[in-house]
Every structure is written in C-alpha cells, then in structure tokens.
Amino acid sequence: PGLLCCVYFCCSGVAGIQAAYQQACSQVQLWGPTNAAPIINAVATLAEEEHRRIVSQKLPCRTYQILLLMTDGILTDMDNTKLAVIKASRLPMSIIIVGVGKADFSDMEELDADDGLLRIGNVVAMRDIVQFVPFSQFAMQPPEVLAKEVLAEVPTQVVEYMYNYGLPVMSAVAGAPHR
C-alpha cells in the first residue's frame, strides 16, 4: 500500500483554502494506490471531539471540519471509504473531492450520493457530506467558478448537521443563534 500523507491546515474563507492548497501542493507527493478511508477517519476523529462538546451542552458548532481530497484515480478501498463516510455523516464534517485528470470517477460520484443517502448493506449515512467536482469541467474557467462549485453544498451540510442534533444555528449576519 502507498504511504498516506496528511497535511492539516486551519483556514478561513476561499482565500485561506487557496493558500492552504498551494502550501500543501509544495509538501505532498501523489502516488497510488488511492486509499481514502484512513484520512477520512483521521479527520473524523477531530470532528468527534467537537461533536461530543456541542451535543452534550447543546452549543453552537464552533469548528466544522472540511476535508479536501484530490484524486486522479479509482479508490482501492471503496468499501472502507464508504463506511468511513457513513460514520462521519453524523459529525460536524464535510468532504470535498476534486477529481483531476481523465480517470474513471464513478467511485467519487457514488460517494457524492446526490441521488440518495450513501449506503453499504443496511448501514446508511445520516446525511450527504460529500461533494465531488471533476476539475476538468472547470479548468478553463475563472477560479471563482470552481470555488463556488466546490463549496456549493457545504452551507446546507452544516445546517443539516445542526438541525439533526437540535443545535442552535448561528446567524451569519448578527452572530446570534436562531432556529
């Protein structure tokens, strides 16, 4: 199996994501096989800490993990990845997958689960937390168009997480909780 390289950045806004991406690209070497479950589980561990804190005290969510995966191929651990995504679907976490190149991205489309909740056997995700975007569809467009598509589902995913646990949602304008 290939070595998993994890680069963790805490960033704010699209500019922060772009800066983190540029810094990560200078530190990461890509190769196969492509195993996504280990990194999903690692980020889920971080999200689990926040989940326990906010659910036990019914507090607004202060930290929401967003994992950005870039891949150029088929997952070699699809069943483990599906289970990791399903487990993470109950946590303050979203997964954005950007497919690069001309590979078969049917695994990523399945993880995106736009046509229904992700499942493996009788185990079903609590909510959809994956957004898959094929980079080739946006390569010739301004970066803002790609950013908009990549982040399109995150606001809904955050609110769904909060509502699933009866947690207050912070107003973006006033900073006050509302329901």
Side-chain angles (χ1 to χ4, degrees):
L3 178 65
L4 175 67
C5 180
C6 177
V7 180
Y8 182 79
F9 296 98
C10 185
C11 51
S12 179
V14 173
I17 293 170
Q18 290 173 326
Y21 168 74
Q22 290 172 345
Q23 188 174 355
C25 285
S26 68
Q27 299 175 21
V28 174
Q29 181 179 359
L30 303 175
W31 67 89
T34 304
N35 295 320
I39 188 65
I40 294 169
N41 288 329
V43 174
T45 299
L46 296 171
E48 181 74 37
E49 294 173 21
E50 176 72 355
H51 175 74
R52 279 193 214 117
R53 182 192 72 77
I54 62 179
V55 170
S56 68
Q57 300 175 30
K58 294 290 184 194
L59 298 171
C61 186
R62 292 185 310 201
T63 305
Y64 190 92
Q65 303 292 330
I66 300 176
L67 173 61
L68 173 62
L69 293 173
M70 300 185 74
T71 183
D72 64 353
I74 297 170
L75 294 174
T76 53
D77 67 340
M78 185 60 171
D79 285 346
N80 288 337
T81 297
K82 286 170 72 174
L83 286 172
V85 170
I86 290 168
K87 177 183 167 193
S89 71
R90 65 181 183 78
L91 300 172
M93 176 176 169
S94 291
I95 302 167
I96 298 169
I97 303 172
V98 178
V100 293
K102 299 185 186 299
D104 175 5
F105 292 119
S106 56
D107 286 351
M108 309 314 150
E109 295 286 354
E110 183 178 350
L111 292 172
D112 194 352
D114 283 340
D115 297 327
L117 293 174
L118 184 64
R119 67 173 49 242
I120 185 165
N122 292 330
V123 183
V124 182
M126 179 181 273
R127 61 195 177 92
D128 177 18
I129 63 167
V130 176
Q131 168 73 336
F132 170 67
V133 178
F135 180 77
S136 62
Q137 292 181 9
F138 299 90
M140 302 307 291
Q141 298 185 35
E144 299 80 28
V145 176
L146 175 62
K148 181 178 179 184
E149 184 66 20
V150 163
L151 299 172
E153 294 180 9
V154 172
T156 300
Q157 292 169 348
V158 171
V159 170
E160 282 178 352
Y161 169 77
M162 302 298 281
Y163 280 125
N164 282 343
Y165 291 98
L167 302 170
V169 178
M170 298 300 289
S171 169
V173 177
H178 65 82
R179 289 251 180 226

